[in-house]
Amino acid sequence: MNARSDWSESDIGDLTGTVAIVTGANSGLGFETSRALLKAGAHVVMTMRSAAKAETAATRLLGELGEVSLETMLLDLADLESIRRFSDEFHSKHSRLDLLINNAGIMMTDAQLTIDGFESQLGTNHLGHFALTGRLLDVIAATPGARVVSLSSVAHRWGFMEFGNLMFQNGSYTPRAAYGRSKLANLLFTYELQRRFEAAGVDAMAVAAHPGTAGTGLADHMFDRWYLRPLKKLVFLGIQTPKQGAQPSLRAATDPNVTGGDYFGPSGRKEYRGAPVLVESNPASHSEIDAAKLWTESERLTGVNYESLRTPTK
């Protein structure tokens, strides 16, 4: 694709007539992504876990932007039944899906399980979005040029797959290792989904992005103890705003020169901040063996099968 390094939100074209879903849209990157897509004319389905958060976010955006095409729906990615209900509701209202922005996530939480018994970071960040994408696959495939954009992180570099201990069942859990694994899984999923789109002849793209460092509130829980609060101010000094952090996702979603399997992040040192550009993920994220294993295990765990996307020929 065109390697422009000066892309900005002002380069988003007219999105009138398109339908987008943004997960985790009540705050942070999801809110800013929704705002930009709404301004460009898209109909945006903003998903949140609570009705109160949905009402607050919608009221704020409508107050700022005026008459835009906004819809809120409840979705908890840590609950497979919630994902099924969301999918049923979306199908009852929409027959196309141009953009699925798999944005929501949790970061470096203490050891806990989702409702379905999955380690919470892998369960929310990867398995939840895997199930959601699979349940929406028919409308994605029916929409020419649709894109699935999944958010990863520079943290994927310290992630590692261990399929015999995928959920850290042996007591080896650390918040850092689990987060890194979930972000590596986001990339393995993206690249495998793109291969399967191509093998099945589906006119859709799977693309990935990461925000660099952005003050979204995602890591606030890590500074709950009083003696860590001064450190929080130091750690977050000079990092990007949520609006800046949303730029790689927006470019991945809207730049007409994007190709399937592209990965976008900030242009600056260590990809922490800067304009959105093409970046490269680590070798582990390109392992087709691990991607295929993760895919098979994800289908087994979630019960969501991508039957229309055959296994790519190796």
Side-chain angles (χ1 to χ4, degrees):
M1 66 164 288
N2 186 330
R4 274 184 61 187
S5 61
D6 62 344
W7 191 94
S8 71
E9 191 176 309
S10 62
D11 291 302
I12 299 176
D14 183 6
L15 298 180
T16 302
T18 63
V19 177
I21 293 173
V22 181
T23 66
N26 62 286
S27 63
L29 302 177
F31 183 87
E32 293 299 337
T33 299
S34 299
R35 187 211 302 268
L37 297 177
L38 287 165
K39 287 174 65 177
H43 175 82
V44 180
V45 178
M46 301 173 65
T47 81
M48 297 89 164
R49 288 181 294 177
S50 78
K53 289 181 178 180
E55 182 178 359
T56 299
T59 299
R60 180 180 168 190
L61 282 173
L62 291 171
E64 292 180 14
L65 303 178
E67 292 298 321
V68 290
S69 189
L70 182 157
E71 183 179 1
T72 61
M73 290 189 194
L74 298 182
L75 172 64
D76 184 352
L77 289 160
D79 181 352
L80 292 175
E81 178 59 21
S82 174
I83 294 168
R84 185 197 63 76
R85 289 195 302 268
F86 171 85
S87 172
D88 289 347
E89 182 181 0
F90 182 85
H91 278 91
S92 72
K93 298 177 179 179
H94 301 282
S95 59
R96 67 179 297 132
L97 177 56
D98 300 85
L99 300 173
L100 172 57
I101 315 294
N102 289 328
N103 165 82
I106 58 175
M107 177 181 179
M108 297 195 204
T109 55
D110 291 338
Q112 54 188 315
L113 300 178
T114 69
I115 288 176
D116 303 287
F118 308 141
E119 184 278 308
S120 62
Q121 294 192 77
L122 188 74
T124 301
N125 299 349
H126 166 63
L127 291 172
H129 282 123
F130 180 93
L132 176 66
T133 305
R135 288 196 176 278
L136 297 172
L137 186 60
D138 57 340
V139 283
I140 292 170
T143 308
R147 299 188 193 188
V148 178
V149 180
S150 297
L151 264 69
S152 185
S153 165
V154 293
H156 84 272
R157 297 169 184 161
W158 68 61
F160 61 96
M161 304 311 295
E162 188 180 356
F163 290 100
N165 185 38
L166 194 61
M167 305 289 179
F168 298 91
Q169 306 96 302
N170 67 3
S172 60
Y173 180 90
T174 68
R176 186 177 189 271
Y179 184 63
R181 179 172 295 177
S182 74
K183 295 291 101 179
L184 176 58
N186 292 147
L187 287 168
L188 289 167
F189 168 63
T190 294
Y191 299 148
E192 182 70 5
L193 180 59
Q194 178 60 30
R195 286 188 287 269
R196 291 181 182 238
F197 279 157
E198 292 173 1
V202 174
D203 183 12
M205 290 191 295
V207 194
H210 81 82
T213 57
T216 64
L218 193 63
D220 283 357
H221 65 277
M222 297 167 63
F223 302 92
D224 284 345
R225 294 178 177 84
W226 68 268
Y227 54 85
L228 293 177
R229 288 170 193 159
L231 180 61
K232 176 183 175 181
K233 295 180 181 179
L234 179 63
V235 169
F236 286 90
L237 183 66
I239 67 171
Q240 298 187 112
T241 65
K243 183 175 182 179
Q244 291 169 324
Q247 301 306 296
S249 302
L250 288 167
R251 185 170 191 181
T254 65
D255 189 329
N257 296 307
V258 169
T259 57
D262 281 348
Y263 180 41
F264 291 89
S267 59
R269 181 175 175 270
K270 295 186 178 181
E271 300 171 20
Y272 286 168
R273 56 184 298 133
V277 296
L278 275 173
V279 295
E280 184 55 66
S281 59
N282 71 355
S285 69
H286 292 285
S287 169
E288 294 188 28
I289 293 175
D290 280 357
K293 287 181 179 178
L294 179 64
W295 191 281
T296 298
E297 189 66 0
S298 298
E299 286 191 330
R300 184 187 72 82
L301 290 167
T302 65
V304 176
N305 297 307
Y306 288 59
E307 295 176 356
S308 63
L309 299 185
R310 63 181 181 272
T311 303
T313 302
K314 297 292 189 287

